[in-house]
Amino acid sequence: MSKKDVIRARGEVTEVLPDSMYRVKLDNDHDALCVASGRMRKNFIRVVVGDRVVVEFSPYDLTRGRIVYRET
């Protein structure tokens, strides 16, 4: 699977869970369990409740995603 096979969506963090996991409410009213991407962990980008984020999904499982960008 290549990088262009991902689905991107925007949402808001509603809950912070252990191990860099987050519950995100997407703009289309779906909930997703997301993990912070490796680049965000490496650069110590903190995500808190209420932050707007961009999430990438695999076409195979739309309930779990990866947070790739935190909007200001």
Side-chain angles (χ1 to χ4, degrees), residues 13-49:
V13 175
T14 57
E15 186 179 359
V16 178
L17 303 168
D19 296 329
S20 299
M21 299 283 283
Y22 304 92
R23 191 158 314 278
V24 176
K25 177 92 169 170
L26 301 176
D27 290 345
N28 59 4
D29 291 331
H30 291 296
D31 285 327
L33 185 64
C34 300
V35 65
S37 67
R39 187 169 287 181
M40 290 182 69
R41 289 184 199 165
K42 183 179 116 179
N43 293 314
F44 303 107
I45 296 173
R46 300 289 179 227
V47 179
V48 295
V49 173

Side-chain angles (χ1 to χ4, degrees), residues 3-14:
K3 284 190 176 184
K4 54 188 167 182
D5 291 340
V6 298
I7 300 166
R8 283 191 169 212
R10 295 178 192 269
E12 184 175 332
V13 175
T14 57

Side-chain angles (χ1 to χ4, degrees), residues 14 19 64 66-67:
T14 57
D19 296 329
R64 297 179 61 92
R66 178 184 330 110
I67 297 175

